[in-house]
Amino acid sequence: MARTGRAGTGPSVATATDRRLDAENWLLSAALDRARARTDWAEQGVALLRCDGPFNAVKICADLVHAAAGTDVPSKVDAYLAQALHGGPVFYDLIGCEYYVLVPPSPGRREWSVYRQGEAEFLGRDCCMGVPRVTALLPEGVRQYWRVPLHGTGELASVDAVTQLIDAGRFRRVRAEGLAGG
């Protein structure tokens, strides 16, 4: 991404700060009240954003993600998610033990919520969710933080990659249960 520098200086490479601000503003386009969302990020670390604007989300229980990754070691799960979702952004809710994957606005996939109640759920039209500030990259002092950071505007996980992750988690969990039972 190139930005135009001051007059006569030519283009310059976008800085990390520029990318962070772009990502933050892009997320804020989903806020019901941008000023309130900024205040909530500053004071609470989480802002309420609506789905079915610039993005939707898929909420996936931690057990299913850990089964897909073959581990619950945070650094290894993060590496798995980054690879499996091709860098698509993911944040984690420490209280609910749920991962949230940002995906393009599109119709939900019914199969995400039919295997077991609450295991995977599409969040689209008429849904709002708490989203951590862009700089929340560590679990210290926050309820939610980015496990695969948002690197720029509109860089989302593909719906197919999320479906494959969910299917892999289900397969590996059933396989482990079968090995344990027999």
Side-chain angles (χ1 to χ4, degrees), residues 16 22 31 39 55 59 107 114 133 145-147 170:
D22 286 346
T39 299
F55 59 84
K59 177 174 66 171
V114 297
R133 64 180 174 264
Y145 68 103
W146 293 94
R147 301 290 294 264
R170 289 176 177 164

Side-chain angles (χ1 to χ4, degrees), residues 6-35:
R6 282 180 270 130
T9 62
S12 64
V13 176
T15 66
T17 301
D18 291 334
R19 286 189 303 275
R20 181 189 59 78
L21 288 172
D22 286 346
E24 185 176 279
N25 284 324
W26 179 76
L27 284 173
L28 285 171
S29 70
L32 298 171
D33 179 338
R34 290 173 72 98

